[in-house]
Amino acid sequence: MQGGIDVEPRAVGLCPERLGRIDGWMERLVADGRLAGLSVMVARAGRTAYFRGHGLADIARQKPFAPDTIARIYSMTKPLTSVAVMMLYEEGRFQLDDPITRFLPEFSDMRVLTGGNRVKFESEPARRLITIRDLLTHTSGLTYGFMEATLVDALYRQNGIDFGEAQTESLAAVVERLARQPLLAQPGNEWNYSVATDVLGHLVAVVSGQDFADFMRDRILAPLGMVDTDFFVPPEKIERFAANYSLFRERSLKLYDDCVGSRFARPPAVASGGGGLVSTAGDYMRFCRFLLGRGALDGVRLLGRKTVDLMLTNHLDGDLAAMGQPRFSETAYTGIGFGLGFSVMLDPARAQIVGTPGEAAWGGLASTAFWVDPAEDLAVVLLAQLIPSSALPIRRELRVLTYAALVD
């Protein structure tokens, strides 16, 4: 597959021969049986210089991974939800250091786990209230139940703290039940990847007075021209929807979620701000160009340039490694900070990967990824459908291949 390229690579400082190495890399991943299919899109100076795919989006139906293939982007939803929050921030609805109890009073009396077990746990009062900034930076003390690493994770699973899959309750109901669980850490003390962005989705609904999914469609997705991005795939687009796989015994792909019958094939009970969107490479590249445009794309401005600059700034005291012992992330910890909705490169040498200080990135559970590099005016989108994202080091490999092609 090749399509959507609108500039010769040399015209934007990219070597076509070096970009061509990505072709062989994709072919090897598919030939070795590690991925069913994948696509990569590279843009510089607002122009698409590379867009290729290889393999299949659906093995059973022999559908190729095409330019318009729709994929589950899971946690790549988080940056879009964070933009929704910052749009309301620009309207003067709140400040980042405001306690979330201003809008979500159910979080008024939070406690922090100190010991015990599922039947009877021990806790102490939170020393301060959770702020909106805490949610944006994953320093709220919340966690994810699927990590299965702590007692709080177990309590989440036991008490149905789930913003996707088989959820049948409303977003508000799940958030209210979440507020009755203990925190993993004192607010502001540790970086813990969490359901914080799902809480932000509910916050957007409460502050705006509009259903969260409708807010996203009306205020972000439609204005940016992200025509195939939504919280479900409608029937008329299901033929373009990829199947999702897991890697079984290292070299054998096992179907994880078929495109037909998938929960993403119908409107969800809960629109998950943390992981609910599906999208295409072209759509998500529009979002990347919006970030590189410092809040504007094709004459449409959603955020002021200073607000985007703030989002792309590290808000932690050091890197992720300095903020406790992260149990899971869509990025490495050393040399990587966190802004308002995505990771921020601090030091490529410490991260032990080529890159640029100030680049922002994130990924999704099914091995998707993106990054934007303002200094190089570069954006990259990777789509695959393999769970978990830690199964293969494809993000780091693609980063090296892409940066090696910069020759101006």
Side-chain angles (χ1 to χ4, degrees), residues 345 347-349 352-359 371 373 376 399 403:
M345 174 68 79
D347 186 341
Q352 299 187 57
I353 191 73
V354 66
T356 308
E359 69 182 45
W371 75 89
D373 186 333
E376 296 287 354
R399 179 179 291 272
Y403 274 116

Side-chain angles (χ1 to χ4, degrees), residues 142-327:
L142 299 172
T143 183
Y144 265 123
F146 70 77
M147 294 186 191
E148 302 188 9
T150 71
L151 177 55
V152 180
D153 302 346
L155 290 171
Y156 276 32
R157 296 192 302 277
Q158 176 178 299
N159 295 304
I161 307 304
D162 177 10
F163 291 88
E165 300 299 335
Q167 189 54 253
T168 58
E169 294 181 289
S170 68
L171 178 58
V174 183
V175 170
E176 185 175 356
R177 191 164 63 254
L178 168 66
R180 297 197 292 268
Q181 313 307 313
L183 297 175
L184 185 61
Q186 289 288 344
N189 278 15
E190 296 181 7
W191 190 91
N192 289 295
Y193 199 39
S194 73
V195 297
T197 317
D198 287 291
V199 178
L200 285 173
H202 181 49
L203 181 78
V204 167
V206 171
V207 173
S208 69
Q210 185 178 14
D211 175 79
F212 171 60
D214 290 340
F215 184 100
M216 292 286 281
R217 294 178 185 117
D218 297 345
R219 299 285 302 274
I220 298 177
L221 301 177
L224 291 182
M226 298 175 69
V227 296
D228 290 320
T229 305
D230 206 332
F231 290 98
F232 74 104
V233 182
E236 65 272 17
K237 296 181 180 181
I238 203 71
E239 283 296 315
R240 294 160 48 201
F241 188 33
N244 198 7
Y245 299 91
S246 60
L247 197 58
F248 182 66
R249 293 180 179 173
E250 297 186 354
R251 294 245 170 168
S252 175
L253 292 172
K254 182 178 180 181
L255 183 65
Y256 179 86
D257 182 36
D258 195 7
C259 48
V260 176
S262 168
R263 72 174 177 92
F264 289 99
R266 58 187 181 275
V270 170
S272 169
L277 287 176
V278 297
S279 190
T280 63
D283 267 17
Y284 211 87
M285 182 57 77
R286 292 189 64 78
F287 178 65
C288 292
R289 289 176 53 206
F290 157 79
L291 292 175
L292 290 176
R294 299 175 77 187
L297 175 66
D298 295 341
V300 175
R301 179 167 291 281
L302 302 186
L303 289 175
R305 61 184 179 83
K306 297 296 288 185
T307 300
V308 176
D309 290 348
L310 182 65
M311 295 181 74
L312 298 180
T313 300
N314 181 37
H315 285 251
L316 305 182
D317 294 330
D319 60 12
L320 294 178
M323 293 290 290
Q325 298 293 323
R327 282 159 286 278

Side-chain angles (χ1 to χ4, degrees), residues 30-50:
V30 173
D32 289 348
R34 292 184 288 168
L35 287 175
L38 72 164
S39 66
V40 173
M41 193 172 195
V42 180
R44 199 171 191 214
R47 309 286 296 279
T48 302
Y50 181 94

Side-chain angles (χ1 to χ4, degrees), residues 383-398:
L383 291 187
Q385 295 287 266
L386 180 74
I387 284 181
S389 58
S390 58
L392 300 173
I394 58 176
R395 296 167 180 170
R396 293 174 68 81
E397 292 170 352
L398 178 60

